[in-house]
Amino acid sequence: MFKEYNPIENKIFRIIDNEGKVINTEGKPAIEDEKVLKAYKDMLFARTADIMAVSYQRQGRMYTYPPNYGQEAVSGALAQIMREEDWLVPAFRELGAWLAKGATLKDLFLYFKGNEEGTAFRNAKKLLPISVPIASQLLHAVGIGYSINYKQEKDVVFTIVGDGGTSEGDFHEALNFAAVWKVPVIFIVQNNQFAISVPVKKQTASVNIAVKSIAYGMPGIKVDGNDFFAMYAALNRAQEFARNGNGPVLIEALTYRKGAHTTSDDPTKYRTKEEEEFWAQTDPLKRLFLYLKQKNLFSDNEESELIEQYKKEVDRQFDEAENSPATQLEDVFKYMYADMPEDLKVQQMEYEKFLKWKESQQ
Amino acid sequence: MFKEYNPIENKIFRIIDNEGKVINTEGKPAIEDEKVLKAYKDMLFARTADIMAVSYQRQGRMYTYPPNYGQEAVSGALAQIMREEDWLVPAFRELGAWLAKGATLKDLFLYFKGNEEGTAFRNAKKLLPISVPIASQLLHAVGIGYSINYKQEKDVVFTIVGDGGTSEGDFHEALNFAAVWKVPVIFIVQNNQFAISVPVKKQTASVNIAVKSIAYGMPGIKVDGNDFFAMYAALNRAQEFARNGNGPVLIEALTYRKGAHTTSDDPTKYRTKEEEEFWAQTDPLKRLFLYLKQKNLFSDNEESELIEQYKKEVDRQFDEAENSPATQLEDVFKYMYADMPEDLKVQQMEYEKFLKWKESQQ
Amino acid sequence: MVQAVNNALEIKLADDENVVIYGEDAGVEGGVFRVTEGLQQKFGEKRVFDSPLAESAIVGTAVGMAIAGLRPVVELQFCGFVYPAFNQIISHAARIHNRTRGKYKTPMVIRFPYGGGINALEHHSESMESIYGHIPGIKVVIPSTPYDAKGLLISAIESDDTVIFMEPKRIYRAIKQEVAEEKYSIPIGKAKVVSAGTDITIVAYGAMIREVQKAMVMAKSKNISVELIDLRTIYPLDKETIVKSVQKTGRLMIVTEEPNTFGVAAEITAIANEEAFLYLEAPVKRVTGFDVIVPLPASEHFYMQTPEKIFYELERVMKF
Amino acid sequence: MVQAVNNALEIKLADDENVVIYGEDAGVEGGVFRVTEGLQQKFGEKRVFDSPLAESAIVGTAVGMAIAGLRPVVELQFCGFVYPAFNQIISHAARIHNRTRGKYKTPMVIRFPYGGGINALEHHSESMESIYGHIPGIKVVIPSTPYDAKGLLISAIESDDTVIFMEPKRIYRAIKQEVAEEKYSIPIGKAKVVSAGTDITIVAYGAMIREVQKAMVMAKSKNISVELIDLRTIYPLDKETIVKSVQKTGRLMIVTEEPNTFGVAAEITAIANEEAFLYLEAPVKRVTGFDVIVPLPASEHFYMQTPEKIFYELERVMKF
Ligand SMILES: Cc1ncc(C[n+]2csc(CCOP(=O)(O)OP(=O)(O)O)c2C)c(N)n1
Ligand SMILES: Cc1ncc(C[n+]2csc(CCOP(=O)(O)OP(=O)(O)O)c2C)c(N)n1
Ligand SMILES: [Mg+2]
Ligand SMILES: [Mg+2]
């Protein structure tokens, strides 16, 4: 697959077209219908949660939120591919993947409500927290990859970065170390074509992003990131490749951020209606839905029902988050160190004195 | 040239063989014999100075020194190519190139004797100081390149980094910015195959270094860095390319550091005699000397005489450096800011009081 | 303050064709806080532009531009995202002048918003000025009002030294103040006595000035007369103004958002100790952040200095 | 000290199979100062190895390894080359524990040589400990003797927190001391009273301890009795030991190699001011570097604290 879709020729790996028709039967991965349906439902759940998150934020009930709208197939495919023993080292726009690794919506809502409890993903295994400093997380993935080899385990690390993130020095250092150390790390670039307002053509002059793999001596492939099947097949192949000791892979997932960068961004400033309409045609859920419908695996009715059901679940978890106990002073100090310095204890005590005084003033 | 020597095929651009015979007449640049002879003499001067620098250091008369021995053709070709209006943004191992831009041996000796006066290259134009933090200088070259475009000038920036330096994030960011901004910057990687003790195969898994250019959408070429003609032709072409507004170029100059990393390094720890002997065959001065000799442009006698003459000149400049006045207290403060803070003046004054006291104690 | 900074940039762009402005989203969009809004439209893409997403490159290329004669004013998006550029700042922006014995200068400004209190997520609320103040070879400026922001930024752009210009984003839009249209400048390295007083000196800067002023209302009701000094410049520190004031009041409190240990407040304490030792009637009080990562919004109120907290500390100092 | 550090590494490699060591030239060559010499031969390439030349990656991958259960001990070549890794240190190594509410730890050590006095060129002589001390979430350790180096490094490797371990390269080979072969540890966060005295307290660490000790010989001849405290740990600071001593002697001087402003000495001054105010008989004296880039060797003697200079300052404090 990697040879066939040599990124230097700027080919793109795609399985279904915008109408959900299979245009590449040879490349189509062998997944049971059931699994495809499950994937679709997961993506639908993620989209529902995502849309609701944006509206909670608009209602002033969360501080910010980075929408996934339009990019769900990347996380959706990844969600099906990751095994329990695989690691996920995320950026900040992969809702479906986080959920698949055991993060809950409640965690996320807490996080975006500014409650640190949400950063921990307490019940998720082998899932790192959301990483905000762009591209810096890729190096953690490589370190984990080293540890996997060191312990002779068979796990694989999936790590994600945006198109903008490919410009950072850490992107380069991570891919270079990964290839030299031959670690089982799959680098997924969600090329949603913007870094906030900056289009990818101002980000790099290379023919595409997958081609950057050549600089590190690792395979790279450009994939239609709005095509669930293509993403699934590419991730599957990469996982197998890495598990078998062949080292890292770079996957460019070409997608489009239909929403705003975060809830404080206004995309009309930097992109046109035409562009948005063009990309609307490629919507990953629409395409997969049409595929399923054509195969009589799913219907409009079922979809509407599911959405209603999902909304309730999302609201339920949001309520839980909203009704979580307020954070305490000690939460500010408790986790700073495994072994807390005396000084922090004193700072906390001193502040408690102030709080007492404050109370006494009322 | 860049198409023909596509680095992805791992071809190397070479004009003369180890015996100085032209093996690629087509590629041979049109330089007058006189100029070739001058280039050889400059390289010989650099080698003489370099060898003497190492011995001054051994005598305890300089603190450290990074030998150029074996890599002289890279700087030697560059010295002939750079015009007055071109900039040089160096690393720390390009003696011949610095001299061509107007740095003096005296400057350099002062520097390696720990005298800041030597860092300024006071009489050199468009030459940046030696840059120690690996790869960081490449970004300065790109900034200068931006300024050239901004002012619609026709200058070109040459900048140098080692093979080890290609692993740093700044290497990546510099090449990426250069290509996006389309600045006239020629990146020259002196691939001398080691970063101190670390061989290039532990530095990157890519087929070669030139191929990294693909990641940035700029031309790249792998050149025999011990072949003066090949370096000359590649640099010449790159200069023309950049001057004509086509943006940056990456040149990998394959060479070998015959000496130690610096005078505090012992290469026998990490490389074999066989390896050293193999590379001795490719010595850049030897090859060019044989070429000149075959063309009756130069002789052993002339060479010996020149070396004697050069030695005197090197010694003279070393003496000058050695007899330079001692640095003064004010040198420590004077250049910290264009507009010096009051506090620094006070610190200087306070120290002067101490010096007076100290004197009074004797 | 956003307006005032924008205005200073516009004035200098018009003034000096060597001034260029860039950073992530600084061009088309006008920056994440809209500080550079409209400037690309007015001055074109060569002078005000978007850069790829890489802070080291933004600062490193500015060093090169400055060497070649331009006066770059670069924007980094948040104090928490300056760190990838740390090497370029400390190893080059701060040193080229010294290293070349004055042959090359680096007249460049590195602007970024800093500080908490805006309900932002991790990495978006920090204050790390003492780290920059500790680096020899650069100057560090923090305005506390729109008026100062404009005058100080113009000085920063005109300075031949590298200037770190930290903008208290909490008051980006919170303080309304008429700012003169014309060009004026405020010198770097001079603190300002915001209000004179006799009982205690408070040194602060940036967004903390406003908080202290609120605390001063409470203090007044208790008849405590506060002399408030706005530092304006973190380095070089205006020792003279601080020392003079402390010699008069005998008491000193410093209010900052930084983590406490090795912060700006420690330095000012040391200055008072060195130069006004015999005048001090009470220990100098540091009212600063805890030695923790600035908490997320749900807990940030514990971290940030409030007027009440400042007043509480002030009373304690007065009672010593 | 090189031997002692090497010995500590060897002990921990033997002790705990999760310990891995890497860095530029740290494997085959044993590091530029030969601190890791022989370890690859003994423990193999998987456990002690060379990395590509990229500091951010060295620290960033260590964060990942630590999360996955290893205990990486990474070497950076000089204090002046840590900066490319600054973002990984401050944004991740210092925060993963807090960010995951203790779910993931980062038991890792970042070792590097620091300090002047070895006739090195630019970027090879700096001391920037206060910057690291100011970062919430990490600990910063500096030994002053081979014995301490071994014991402190063992503690650092065994710590579940990220520890910055700065080695005073000036005394790498200068101090000869018998160091026990067996494993022992010295707690992080505890200063040591090196010698008791009654007239003045001097706080120092790293290579400055030896200089102060030389100055103490001169002081003794003038009948000045000095209490010398070796800080050992920059953060967390052992306030108790400092304050107790100052309460006894009434005078305090701090000797460091750092630039003065916003340095460690300022913090210790602030501590004395806060906790021993009524005991102070003279202003606390900071004996530190100038606020300049450490000069090249030809001028470095102006910058470094010498026994004479320390004695000179000491006498002035005593005369206050
Ligand atoms: C080091 C760093 N610099 C700047 C930012 C501010 N910032 C947040 S998201 C973003 C754009 C990221 O673009 P991309 O990598 O394409 O990811 P996307 O948002 O499109 O998913 C920027 C600049 C940051 N978080 N980290
Ligand atoms: C940022 C940084 N890290 C580490 C060093 C220490 N160091 C000096 S030279 C060198 C190796 C450089 O190798 P390469 O780039 O191949 O250049 P060469 O020495 O071979 O010319 C290293 C690691 C440094 N100067 N800067
Ligand atoms: Mg993007
Ligand atoms: Mg090399």
Side-chain angles (χ1 to χ4, degrees), chain B residues 40-217:
Chain B
Y40 181 75
K41 287 179 181 173
D42 287 353
M43 283 161 65
L44 189 64
F45 181 73
R47 175 166 289 187
T48 308
D50 194 76
I51 292 172
M52 288 174 76
V54 171
S55 88
Y56 296 136
Q57 196 281 336
R58 291 237 173 86
Q59 294 159 26
R61 295 159 84 191
M62 286 197 325
Y63 290 114
T64 187
Y65 181 77
N68 285 238
Y69 190 42
Q71 304 182 209
E72 293 91 346
V74 182
S75 279
L78 188 51
Q80 309 307 316
I81 291 289
M82 285 185 292
R83 306 167 204 216
E84 217 186 305
E85 67 266 32
D86 293 335
W87 287 78
L88 175 63
V89 180
F92 51 84
R93 204 188 296 280
E94 312 81 35
L95 179 55
W98 305 337
L99 295 176
K101 274 314 270 183
T104 63
L105 281 180
K106 182 185 163 193
D107 290 335
L108 293 162
F109 291 144
L110 276 172
Y111 179 73
F112 291 112
K113 287 167 92 52
N115 184 322
E116 253 110 4
E117 191 47 38
T119 63
F121 296 155
R122 282 218 193 260
N123 298 314
K125 287 211 182 86
K126 298 194 168 179
L127 170 61
L128 260 55
I130 288 174
S131 182
V132 172
I134 303 292
S136 59
Q137 70 279 7
L138 303 176
L139 287 164
H140 311 158
V142 177
I144 294 171
Y146 187 89
S147 152
I148 290 169
N149 282 352
Y150 184 81
K151 297 179 183 167
Q152 298 181 294
E153 293 164 343
K154 277 284 176 196
D155 318 353
V156 162
V157 189
F158 293 93
T159 186
I160 300 186
V161 67
D163 47 309
T166 65
S167 296
E168 286 280 5
D170 277 358
F171 172 84
H172 173 71
E173 298 189 13
L175 272 75
N176 190 48
F177 269 57
V180 171
W181 288 353
K182 243 184 167 191
V183 292
V185 177
I186 320 295
F187 297 94
I188 303 160
V189 178
Q190 287 210 76
N191 180 0
N192 64 5
Q193 307 184 50
F194 286 93
I196 309 186
S197 71
V198 180
V200 68
K201 72 167 191 300
K202 282 196 201 166
Q203 205 66 247
T204 178
S206 65
V207 285
N208 55 49
I209 284 173
V211 86
K212 293 177 189 282
S213 58
I214 293 171
Y216 311 101

Side-chain angles (χ1 to χ4, degrees), chain A residues 216-233:
Chain A
Y216 310 102
M218 66 171 79
I221 183 167
K222 177 169 157 182
V223 181
D224 182 340
N226 286 357
D227 176 344
F228 167 79
F229 291 108
M231 278 308 300
Y232 184 95

Side-chain angles (χ1 to χ4, degrees), chain B residues 310-322:
Chain B
Y310 288 164
K311 277 187 176 165
K312 281 191 195 120
E313 174 59 13
V314 175
D315 262 334
R316 191 188 63 74
Q317 294 206 43
F318 189 79
D319 283 347
E320 261 194 48
E322 207 148 59

Side-chain angles (χ1 to χ4, degrees), chain B residues 87 116-117 119-122 124 126-131 133 136 139-140 142-144 146-147 150-151 170 173 176-177 181 331 335-339 341 343-344, chain C residues 17 20 22 46-47 49 51-52 54 56-57 60-61 63-65 67-68 70 88 91-92 97-104 136-139 160-161 235-236 239:
Chain B
W87 287 78
E116 253 110 4
E117 191 47 38
T119 63
F121 296 155
R122 282 218 193 260
K126 298 194 168 179
L127 170 61
L128 260 55
I130 288 174
S131 182
S136 59
L139 287 164
H140 311 158
V142 177
I144 294 171
Y146 187 89
S147 152
Y150 184 81
K151 297 179 183 167
D170 277 358
E173 298 189 13
N176 190 48
F177 269 57
W181 288 353
D331 294 328
Y335 300 108
M336 280 302 302
Y337 290 88
D339 173 30
D343 220 43
L344 286 186
Chain C
E17 63 172 12
V20 296
Y22 62 104
K46 277 256 161 252
R47 301 197 60 197
F49 52 101
S51 77
S56 184
T61 55
V63 169
M65 291 183 199
I67 288 172
L70 299 183
Q88 286 292 338
S91 301
H92 295 296
H97 188 271
N98 186 61
R99 184 184 293 143
T100 64
R101 311 273 88 190
K103 185 173 127 185
Y104 292 123
I138 54 177
K139 296 181 174 177
D160 277 344
D161 292 309
Y235 187 87
K239 290 187 179 181

Side-chain angles (χ1 to χ4, degrees), chain A residues 205-257:
Chain A
S206 64
V207 286
N208 55 49
I209 284 172
V211 86
K212 293 178 189 282
S213 58
I214 293 171
Y216 310 102
M218 66 171 79
I221 183 167
K222 177 169 157 182
V223 181
D224 182 340
N226 286 357
D227 176 344
F228 167 79
F229 291 108
M231 278 308 300
Y232 184 95
L235 286 166
N236 195 33
R237 174 74 192 99
Q239 185 184 43
E240 187 185 87
F241 183 89
R243 271 173 84 93
N244 288 332
N246 299 304
V249 176
L250 174 63
I251 295 177
E252 172 183 2
L254 195 75
T255 180
Y256 190 75
R257 192 193 73 215

